Amino acid sequence: MKDLILVKYAPEIFLKGLNRGKFERRLRDNIGKKLEGIKVEFIHDSGRYFLKTDEIEESIKRISKVFGILEVCLVKEVEIDIHELEQVAFEKVKEAEGKTFKIVTNRANKKFELNSMEVSRKIGGYVLQNYEGDINVDVKNPDILINVEIRNNYAYVWSNDDITKGAAGLPYGMNGSTMLMLSGGIDSPVAGYLMAKRGVEVNCVYYHSHPYTSERAKDKVKELAKILAQYTEKINLYIVPFTDIQMEIIDKCREDELTIIMRRFMMRIACKLADKYGINSVSTGESIGQVASQTMDGLIVSDDCADRPAFRPLIAMDKTDIMDIARKIGTYETSILPYEDCCTIFVPKHPKTNPKLDPIRKQEEKLDIDELIQKSIENMEVVTF
Ligand code: ATP
Ligand code: MG
């Protein structure tokens, strides 16, 4: 009898038709990369992976962060023999805490003489007969759920205590790439996480307004990129100097239009970098109505500067729900550190909430847009996590 790791992947992967093999291979590669340095043997068995390794605990911790995985289970590999199954399931019930239990059997091996109902009933009977103390069967809402799976060569047994929830989503890298505008706030790291979860490769750009935004504000963004990288592969963070652009806008444009013009520059630069590095979309942490610049008109006016899809995965989410995800993925504590952001240092007293394209474009005629962008990109810094 051996301990193995059973990896179940998200049902969406089964729906991929002819592409299913590609998704499965990618998932396998992504798991392999996460387990770098750990000796592990993979067994692919119709719709799931079994992993053999001596470092089970560490492996489960790492695998549960791989997108595309539904559950990671620590299972006992058992000979296909009803007496052995009874014994192992019984031990599992004893180990767990609870007053009620249920045995669920899945028999993929149709040659085994008992059907799944018969197996469950037999094991259940054995547990009831041999358990010292109070225990009952509850098929609706059991405290202890024991899974028994009978496959071609072996059977597997595990309880609900042996299951670690996976990160769900789709395998990273299967759905194109995006340039995420990453600020030090709560929202944009969550936006990046959600894009990555759907299989989109994430790269980040941060606009830094030295000396108005400090080195510590920059470090905070680096830390956020590093946390995101735990869920992705390596992440490139492009740190683009933004002060000269902001100064020029303040100098030449109307005060109530500063924010929206600044946002248009952010969009242009993100697209330009995306083009330079072969990235096919951009993403932001905007949510409709959250602040003055995130109105429908504001978003339309920023999108005017995009030459590729601009995704906003948080668009219809409430702040409290965004914060819950931030806590879950471990970015929240870093995001709330109180360092300034370039958007908060030059805020107009009454920013326009319903900007229109023509007047904004007119304002921008006073700026040498290409030159400003060119200079910023020339002076950017790239950090990889
Ligand atoms: P966040 O919590 O992500 O900072 P926010 O609610 O503070 O968002 P804004 O400051 O209006 O909202 O920014 C909206 C979006 O614009 C951010 O989610 C981010 O994608 C992008 N953004 C803002 N400031 C920067 C910056 N300095 N560098 C890169 N992207 C930025
Ligand atoms: Mg912000």
Side-chain angles (χ1 to χ4, degrees), residues 90 93-94 96 98-99 126-136:
F90 177 54
V93 175
K94 278 203 297 187
K99 293 255 169 279
Y126 183 88
V127 172
L128 287 171
Q129 220 163 48
N130 293 280
Y131 196 90
E132 288 172 19
D134 257 358
I135 196 108
N136 281 305

Side-chain angles (χ1 to χ4, degrees), residues 6-11 13 27 30-31 49 62-73 164-171:
L6 162 62
V7 177
K8 291 190 181 178
Y9 38 90
I13 294 180
L27 184 63
N30 291 355
I31 295 173
Y49 289 109
R62 294 198 207 169
I63 297 168
S64 60
K65 284 195 169 156
V66 175
F67 292 123
I69 291 175
L70 197 65
E71 285 178 352
V72 188
C73 316
T164 305
K165 227 171 136 80
L170 289 170

Side-chain angles (χ1 to χ4, degrees), residues 3-8 49-51 56 60 69-76 147 157-159 162-165:
D3 282 333
L4 296 187
I5 299 171
L6 162 62
V7 177
K8 291 190 181 178
Y49 289 109
F50 288 97
L51 272 60
I56 286 193
I60 290 179
I69 291 175
L70 197 65
E71 285 178 352
V72 188
C73 316
L74 172 58
V75 304
K76 291 239 177 268
N147 298 279
V157 180
W158 69 98
S159 79
D162 299 318
I163 301 173
T164 305
K165 227 171 136 80

